Amino acid sequence: MGRFKQFIAELLGALALILLVHAQDQSDFISIDCGLPENSSYTEWQTGVDYISDAGFIDSGINRQISTEFKGDLQQVWSLRSFPEGIRNCYSIKITQGSKYLIRATFFYGNYDGESKLPVFDVHLGANIWDTIKMTNVSVGFVKELIHVPPLNYIQLCLVNTQRGTPFISAIELRPLPNSTYVTTDGSLEPFWRVDVGSESNLQYRYKYDVYDRIWWPYNYEEWTGLSTSLTIESGSSNAYRPPSVVMSTAATPINDSASLNFNWEPEDATSKYYIYMHFAEVVKLKANQSRSFNVILNGEHWYGPYVPDYLWTSTLYSKYALTSTGGQYAFSLVKTENSTLPPIINAIEIYSVKNLLQSETDQEDVGAITKIKSTYGVKRNWQGDPCAPQAYSWEGLNCSYDGYNAPRVISLNLSSSELTGAISADISTLVMLKYLDLSNNSLTGLVPEFLSQLQYLEVLNLERNQLNGSIPAELIKRSNSGSLLLSLGQNPNLCPSISCTTEQKKKKNIIVPIVASIGGLFILLLGAAGIFWIFKRIREQEGDKVSNLQNVQLESKNRQFTYSEIQMISNNFEKLLGEGGFGKVYLGYVDGNPVAVKMISQSAVEGYQQFQSEVEPLIRVHHRNLTILVGYCNEGPNLALIYEYMANGDLHSHISDAENNSNILSWEGRIRIALDSAQGLEYLHDDCNPPIIHRDVKLSNILLNEKFQAKIADFGLSRVIPTDGGSYVTTVVAGTPGYLDPEYFRSNKLTPKSDVYSFGIVLMELITGRPAIMRSSENVHISQWVNSMVAHGDIRSIVDPRLPNGDFDLNSAWKAVEVSMTCVSENPLNRPTMSQVVIDLKECLATELAQRREDSVTESNDSSSIFTINVTTGTSPSAR
Ligand SMILES: *[C@@H]1O[C@H](CO)[C@@H](O)[C@H](O)[C@H]1NC(C)=O
Ligand SMILES: *[C@@H]1O[C@H](CO)[C@@H](O)[C@H](O)[C@H]1NC(C)=O
Ligand SMILES: *[C@@H]1O[C@H](CO)[C@@H](O)[C@H](O)[C@H]1NC(C)=O
Ligand SMILES: *[C@@H]1O[C@H](CO)[C@@H](O)[C@H](O)[C@H]1NC(C)=O
Ligand SMILES: *[C@@H]1O[C@H](CO)[C@@H](O)[C@H](O)[C@H]1NC(C)=O
Ligand SMILES: *[C@@H]1O[C@H](CO)[C@@H](O)[C@H](O)[C@H]1NC(C)=O
Ligand SMILES: *[C@@H]1O[C@H](CO)[C@@H](O)[C@H](O)[C@H]1NC(C)=O
Ligand SMILES: *[C@@H]1O[C@H](CO)[C@@H](O)[C@H](O)[C@H]1NC(C)=O
Ligand SMILES: *[C@@H]1O[C@H](CO)[C@@H](O)[C@H](O)[C@H]1NC(C)=O
Ligand SMILES: *[C@@H]1O[C@H](CO)[C@@H](O)[C@H](O)[C@H]1NC(C)=O
């Protein structure tokens, strides 16, 4: 089915003639013919759709016409807009926020520039890269489609020059779709195949046949034969998919009466996910002794059925969740049941691949502010599209903060030497996250505004070489003096030099006096420059104290390096053994009255580790509530020890794997909380430690539980110091535990935080299923394979740990958790989420579970199968059949 990938790619070379049928409403359509002269419009005669000029949606680019020899029936490609200037040029189109759209962009080169050189360029949709457009034939068009819910009340579609020719675009079409159609659990949908099976006319059908203006491609296969009816196929109000009657009135059935109807495809890559929509209607009036019923089989497993198509009535069969395949292919078979006298049929098929557009648009307040700044000063830069995203295309002179999930924020603005005139724009105060602001070497006039001092994160403010006058806000001077702001104001001839201005001094006194007073009357006499510095210094020192107060002062204040004899005392001469790992034994001890775990590292394990102390020392400073605190260590000759805070409930492994001997099964909610805790610990190691710490040995036994069952990650940062207890992998090259080991790391030896994400995914799967990472039966089965194959069945209950009582978990929460775990173990590290994304997802998962608890068991009843059909004859809502 490889050739089907070209589906939709090569449309326009020979777009078939389409006859008009009775008119249907197109009032919600947005149909833009790019390059059409301003204010002009026309009606495409084949479809009756009205197209308007793109002039109102973009400021840049030039209108061009394709060469006359290529002008065919389709008028929307006659003109186009090309973008010889600027890296990124963007359309901005108002839409209804929260609504689902079929977005279609059309490209037809038609040798418009007379150069017969086919360009290659990128298209961005908002903050995300949509795709690369590669023209392959002067006379063949290219269509990109996406079913997407844009997050804002406008979309930005950008043409991006990647140095391989001039970008251009012929048409942009937006078609609203009902919310209830094409629902995904994540991501948007890119068409992979949309076919009118058994077509007799060999025409493409779209609007007005199709109310949503989907384009249906005729499809016939040599082992299939056509069936058809001249009657209308109804698609009543409750089947929102509404495939056109003309498409539904033809169907295919196997030529060989007893054979099954098969189709299959191979995923573009291992992580591709698909949604399928099969449309059925009986087109033959069956005799009393005839019947047609069949089962739907996916990759050899029963997927749905037995199913009997209704006469002249459309039913749509689809999966609520993305299909996944373990065998690297998706093979559907419609197999007739034993008592069916007729072979299976199918009328239309749609297959979509999931496209994740994960990058958020820049914070909309920031966008509004920077857009106003752009127009206030008439900034002459290629400032188009989203200011911060995609990151590589952020606006020149802007830098933003990115965390991969939340909306990026503008954190620096450099408009130095940009010929700015007039006052400093108040819109700058809306950029509240600014750390760096450079407006130097312009002709700005007026005062240095107060609002700059409200930018609480500002670290650098450069207003040099302007025409500013008046005095400097006291707060800015204060911050400059305290060292928290680098303030540059030189070469503003009319600016009042800071301290000497009377108004400023008054303000300064007002600020200083209360501070002094609050410290104590004794210091009032110290007023003056030296005093100010001293006081501020003093306050900052106190703040410093406060920070360390938050940590465990008792343990913190103790010398962290213990002698061997101290270790003996702490552990009361190794009295109580807590456990034993690959590195050695663990004993209970007490430091300052607090219980600790003393890990004695066995001699064999530490051979050759010279850097013990230098590796361990920094870990003592790592503090997070989901990381076990390293209290101290011992490094005395052959005696190496690590002292950790004591975790009353031991490791997670014993709670999950050995739970047969354990009457207390961890609840679903408890498991999600533990997963969330652990994820937060890892997130901290990856994102907040400098340099980032990669754990390298994330697994159940390295997650410990305290007396409140709060989870903390253990042994972080140690994989380079002591071998992990992974048996055969005790080399410094590849460390880790079989089953948890990132296959990519194993292959490439390149260590990234994504390796931990992989291992975490395995931990999550173990938490969900209660099964070990490697299931040792007749053949060893890896948990990720197992989960994958079970997901294909679509029954969540068979995935979740059978020891959990059925009512104990919310199905949506379980699905979400399974999904998170599956993305974590994606083969390609790029497709794995970051730990911070995992944290967000797990929070959602927990929220879903908690919400369900609140609603009690009322919502439980409806959902045991993931596959639904919509059948117009049976009621108003999707139902499992
Ligand atoms: C397009 O229409 C607008 C509003 O009627 C008008 O102001 C503008 O001049 C027109 N542009 C052209 C090129 O005719
Ligand atoms: C679709 O859903 C969004 C968000 O849930 C909502 O704002 C919008 O009004 C819905 N559209 C329709 C047509 O129901
Ligand atoms: C371009 O497409 C046309 C029409 O489909 C075809 O006849 C021609 O051979 C193609 N040219 C190339 C270079 O592939
Ligand atoms: C028809 O299909 C059946 C089942 O697949 C097969 O056994 C049989 O040989 C086929 N007949 C022909 C003529 O191909
Ligand atoms: C079904 O009934 C028709 C008459 O209505 C008859 O000609 C045909 O042979 C029957 N077929 C079977 C399989 O019984
Ligand atoms: C065919 O068999 C299925 C069970 O396999 C049964 O549910 C169905 O009613 C039967 N249909 C007919 C027409 O006998
Ligand atoms: C700000 O822009 C100016 C001129 O474009 C440049 O010289 C300067 O290095 C920039 N500053 C930073 C921090 O990028
Ligand atoms: C933005 O970040 C880049 C790379 O870190 C740096 O070179 C540049 O100076 C920054 N620009 C501003 C305006 O801060
Ligand atoms: C100041 O800006 C002007 C253009 O406005 C530029 O020619 C000059 O080089 C800039 N000076 C410095 C020091 O950046
Ligand atoms: C500052 O300059 C502006 C015009 O640039 C002028 O209107 C204003 O009076 C000046 N203010 C002071 C305090 O000099």
Side-chain angles (χ1 to χ4, degrees), residues 241 276-277 303 316-320 866-870 878:
Y241 290 96
I276 189 167
Y277 303 84
W303 197 64
T316 298
L317 175 63
Y318 63 96
S319 163
K320 214 175 143 189
S866 66
I867 300 162
F868 289 79
T869 64
I870 287 183

Side-chain angles (χ1 to χ4, degrees), residues 339-547:
N339 55 8
S340 173
T341 65
L342 297 170
I345 59 167
I346 192 159
N347 308 57
I349 308 172
E350 293 175 87
I351 300 168
Y352 293 85
S353 61
V354 174
K355 173 100 187 165
N356 280 309
L357 303 176
L358 295 176
Q359 174 64 55
S360 312
E361 266 77 4
T362 302
D363 179 84
Q364 289 301 292
E365 299 259 318
D366 284 5
V367 172
I370 199 77
T371 308
K372 280 199 206 145
I373 291 165
K374 176 185 165 190
S375 76
T376 305
Y377 293 123
V379 176
K380 294 178 203 64
R381 294 186 188 175
N382 185 241
W383 276 14
Q384 293 208 38
D386 189 278
C388 298
Q391 188 165 356
Y393 293 90
S394 69
W395 289 2
E396 184 196 341
L398 284 193
N399 275 353
C400 308
S401 62
Y402 305 89
D403 65 6
Y405 188 74
N406 288 310
R409 301 300 303 254
V410 175
I411 55 169
S412 83
L413 173 59
N414 183 356
L415 282 172
S416 158
S417 310
S418 302
E419 299 172 23
L420 310 187
T421 57
I424 294 178
S425 164
D427 293 313
I428 287 174
S429 66
T430 310
L431 300 171
V432 293
M433 303 304 285
L434 271 189
K435 285 187 188 161
Y436 178 102
L437 177 60
D438 187 346
L439 300 174
S440 62
N441 193 30
N442 286 298
S443 308
L444 295 168
T445 52
L447 304 172
V448 177
E450 270 309 321
F451 60 69
L452 291 177
S453 51
Q454 281 151 25
L455 295 170
Q456 53 174 316
Y457 302 106
L458 204 58
E459 288 165 7
V460 176
L461 176 58
N462 188 347
L463 301 174
E464 276 174 7
R465 275 174 277 143
N466 277 295
Q467 303 298 322
L468 299 168
N469 64 8
S471 54
I472 303 156
E475 177 69 15
L476 290 179
I477 294 174
K478 184 181 135 196
R479 279 161 64 182
S480 169
N481 286 342
S482 74
S484 67
L485 176 69
L486 188 61
L487 184 61
S488 314
L489 295 163
Q491 298 180 49
N492 281 286
N494 302 321
L495 198 60
C496 173
S498 54
I499 308 285
S500 71
C501 289
T502 48
T503 51
E504 290 314 311
Q505 261 185 355
K506 263 191 221 140
K507 278 184 189 156
K508 279 201 101 58
K509 273 183 197 150
N510 287 343
I511 293 164
I512 290 159
V513 171
I515 294 173
V516 174
S518 73
I519 290 173
L522 200 68
F523 297 102
I524 287 174
L525 293 176
L526 289 175
L527 264 182
I532 296 165
F533 277 115
W534 187 85
I535 290 163
F536 284 128
K537 198 154 163 273
R538 175 62 189 261
I539 289 169
R540 291 174 80 206
E541 276 168 8
Q542 283 185 338
E543 279 168 0
D545 285 344
K546 223 191 271 161
V547 171

